[in-house]
Amino acid sequence: MADTTGNTSETVTPDDPKSGPRKSSWRYIGPGIVVAATGVGAGDLVATLIAGSNFGYTLLWAAVIGCLVKISLAEAAGRWHLSTGRTLFDGWASLGRWTTWFFAVYVVIWGFVYGAAAMSSSALPLQALFPDVMDLEWWGIACGLVGLVFVWFNKYSVFEKVMTVLVGVMFVVTVYLAIRVTPNLGEAFAGLLPVLPDEKDSILNTLGLIGGVGGTITLAAYGYWVNAKGWTNTGWMKVMRLDNRVAYITTGIFVVSMLFVGAELLHSANVAIASGDKGLIQLGDILEDEYGTATAKFFLIGFFATSFTSLIGVWHGVSLMFADFVARYANKGDGDATELRGDAVASGARERSWSFRVYLLWLTFPPMVLLFQGEPFRLVIIYGVLGAAFLPFLAGTLLWLLNSPRTPREWRSGAVSNTMLVIAGLLFLALCVKQIWDQPWSEFF
């Protein structure tokens, strides 16, 4: 196989379906770093901070379970790509036309609203670091344009290297803060016991924390990044599983570190912060009061790395998925077409396609309007409902695909994988129902 992705892995000819490295090794790690960086956004860190500030260490166990649930989903997506040689959207399309309609509506509306949210989130720490340079909206536009140009002109190998550097920044900042606040390790270990807080809606708050640990559609994008790395067959299965574990151990460290900060810095002082990205700006002010300007600025750099990795990760990963969706439509459902297999992603053809770039433009330019006008009410409700429905959709379809003849028998899900996928499906279905129930439908019509 030609090295089209820039990696130096031990590849052999495509004629051998089991080609891959002789053994799993840390030097192959890559897509897992990308999915961890993309999946953990500013909103995830704020949610964990608030959980720590409200409940101390009590829900530490829920954050750990959240990582285990997401490991199972990402592993299932990667296993589908490697065991079948087919992309995930090709698998979805085999389940019926309804999956195509769901994905088409989801990816258009979700991309429009998310684009504005990602640009705004990346802009907030920059405006805090450089308050007199320009307004928040223009910082957001600058972040969107930088992300567009970077993803447009670079192949996966460069993208992965940059993401790895930014993850390193995130890691150093979050671990430093966790150490700086001097966590109570005895209480932290006690927090690993599955205990619910003695407060109203504690079950729903706990489920929300479990479900909010790292990633939505980026979990589905993991299989595409696996292919983009050059892993296209079952010879890479052990490497993929190691890579996936690294992804969610990294995610777990981010989340646990921020829960420590919430528990020690906010809970002990009975300080509340706002939900959403602005909560991190508040945290920066609190850190400046407690530990000085240098620590606050260091935190804002980590905040920017967290937000910007999510931006460029979605710009790349979801654009890959959209390009695959268009390829399937263009081939009129011909599941045997070369364009619909993982090899097409590995070759870099997807990243050079017009559909990849059209979706990049969709993520970047139309959402800029929302930076100035605010998010339209009805669209935000639809966005929330579709977003809540995606993870139950992903868990359910992976359960279906990986227990059917579409997957070679030796790579179908076993008891552990099926149990985790069922748990994931039920968890996200419950959160989906709550999200739909909480929407202000009376004001929608």
Side-chain angles (χ1 to χ4, degrees):
M1 180 183 296
D3 182 12
T4 57
T5 59
N7 59 325
T8 56
S9 55
E10 300 172 32
T11 54
V12 296
T13 63
D15 297 331
D16 179 5
K18 303 295 184 184
S19 62
R22 293 185 181 89
K23 61 181 181 179
S24 180
S25 171
W26 290 94
R27 68 190 180 97
Y28 298 119
I29 297 303
I33 296 296
V34 172
V35 78
T38 307
V40 179
D44 299 293
L45 296 186
V46 172
T48 311
L49 272 171
I50 291 175
S53 66
N54 289 340
F55 308 117
Y57 294 101
T58 306
L59 291 181
L60 181 60
W61 64 272
V64 173
I65 289 179
C67 290
L68 295 177
V69 168
K70 300 296 178 63
I71 284 175
S72 66
L73 280 170
E75 187 276 339
R79 177 154 45 94
W80 166 264
H81 277 251
L82 296 183
S83 65
T84 65
R86 300 165 64 187
T87 61
L88 184 55
F89 185 79
D90 191 32
W92 283 340
S94 73
L95 300 178
R97 189 167 293 180
W98 65 276
T99 60
T100 301
W101 284 108
F102 175 82
F103 181 79
V105 174
Y106 174 83
V107 82
V108 171
I109 295 177
W110 182 88
F112 181 56
V113 180
Y114 180 83
M119 287 187 275
S120 178
S121 179
S122 298
L124 277 169
L126 291 176
Q127 188 188 43
L129 284 166
F130 310 103
D132 300 322
V133 175
M134 54 184 166
D135 293 337
L136 180 69
E137 294 83 2
W138 295 106
W139 275 119
I141 288 172
C143 290
L145 292 175
V146 170
L148 170 70
V149 171
F150 172 73
V151 174
W152 188 294
F153 290 105
N154 286 296
K155 60 183 181 179
Y156 173 80
S157 58
V158 178
F159 165 71
E160 182 188 287
K161 288 182 176 66
V162 170
M163 292 289 272
T164 301
V165 171
L166 291 173
V167 165
V169 174
M170 292 168 59
F171 186 90
V172 170
V173 170
T174 55
V175 172
Y176 166 76
L177 289 178
I179 295 171
R180 192 76 172 82
V181 300
T182 317
N184 186 320
L185 296 181
E187 291 185 13
F189 281 115
L192 294 174
L193 296 174
V195 176
L196 291 174
D198 186 20
E199 295 191 21
K200 181 182 178 182
D201 295 330
S202 62
I203 294 178
L204 290 175
N205 287 328
T206 302
L207 291 178
L209 180 61
I210 294 172
V213 179
T216 51
I217 195 172
T218 55
L219 289 165
Y222 178 65
Y224 288 86
W225 285 321
V226 163
N227 285 159
K229 179 74 170 176
W231 307 346
T232 57
N233 54 62
T234 56
W236 292 98
M237 196 70 76
K238 288 183 179 180
V239 174
M240 181 275 293
R241 284 170 168 162
L242 173 63
D243 179 76
N244 180 43
R245 292 185 188 110
V246 168
Y248 283 96
I249 290 172
T250 305
T251 299
I253 290 171
F254 293 150
V255 170
V256 169
S257 295
M258 295 311 287
L259 192 140
F260 282 5
V261 173
E264 292 294 338
L265 192 62
L266 305 179
H267 181 70
S268 58
N270 198 26
V271 174
I273 61 171
S275 60
D277 301 339
K278 292 184 180 178
L280 291 184
I281 296 295
Q282 287 180 266
L283 177 62
D285 295 336
I286 294 168
L287 288 170
E288 184 170 7
D289 291 339
E290 290 286 331
Y291 303 114
T293 302
T295 296
K297 290 191 179 301
F298 188 51
F299 164 73
L300 289 172
I301 292 170
F303 177 5
F304 172 73
T306 301
S307 298
F308 194 65
T309 51
S310 294
L311 186 152
I312 60 175
V314 166
W315 264 228
H316 187 276
V318 184
S319 295
L320 273 180
M321 296 182 69
F322 182 78
D324 194 51
F325 163 73
V326 172
R328 172 82 195 192
Y329 182 79
N331 282 275
K332 297 180 180 179
D334 181 4
D336 294 327
T338 303
E339 291 83 359
L340 300 177
R341 299 185 64 81
D343 290 336
V345 181
S347 71
R350 287 282 188 275
E351 294 165 287
R352 297 188 296 270
S353 68
W354 66 266
S355 51
F356 180 90
R357 290 174 173 174
V358 163
Y359 194 72
L360 266 179
L361 295 173
W362 174 253
L363 281 168
T364 307
F365 289 105
M368 289 179 182
V369 176
L370 302 184
L371 293 176
F372 293 94
Q373 296 185 355
E375 297 175 345
F377 177 71
R378 288 181 176 83
L379 188 62
V380 171
I381 290 180
I382 296 171
Y383 165 81
V385 170
L386 287 172
F390 184 81
L391 283 177
F393 167 79
L394 177 62
T397 53
L398 284 172
L399 195 63
W400 189 349
L401 289 169
L402 293 169
N403 286 282
S404 74
R406 297 173 180 84
T407 303
R409 184 174 296 277
E410 63 179 305
W411 299 111
R412 292 177 195 169
S413 292
V416 174
S417 178
N418 280 329
T419 299
M420 292 301 293
L421 287 174
V422 168
I423 290 173
L426 293 175
L427 165 67
F428 294 121
L429 183 61
L431 292 173
C432 176
V433 171
K434 180 181 183 297
Q435 178 83 350
I436 293 172
W437 181 265
D438 288 344
Q439 297 298 332
W441 293 108
S442 60
E443 301 174 31
F444 182 86
F445 299 102

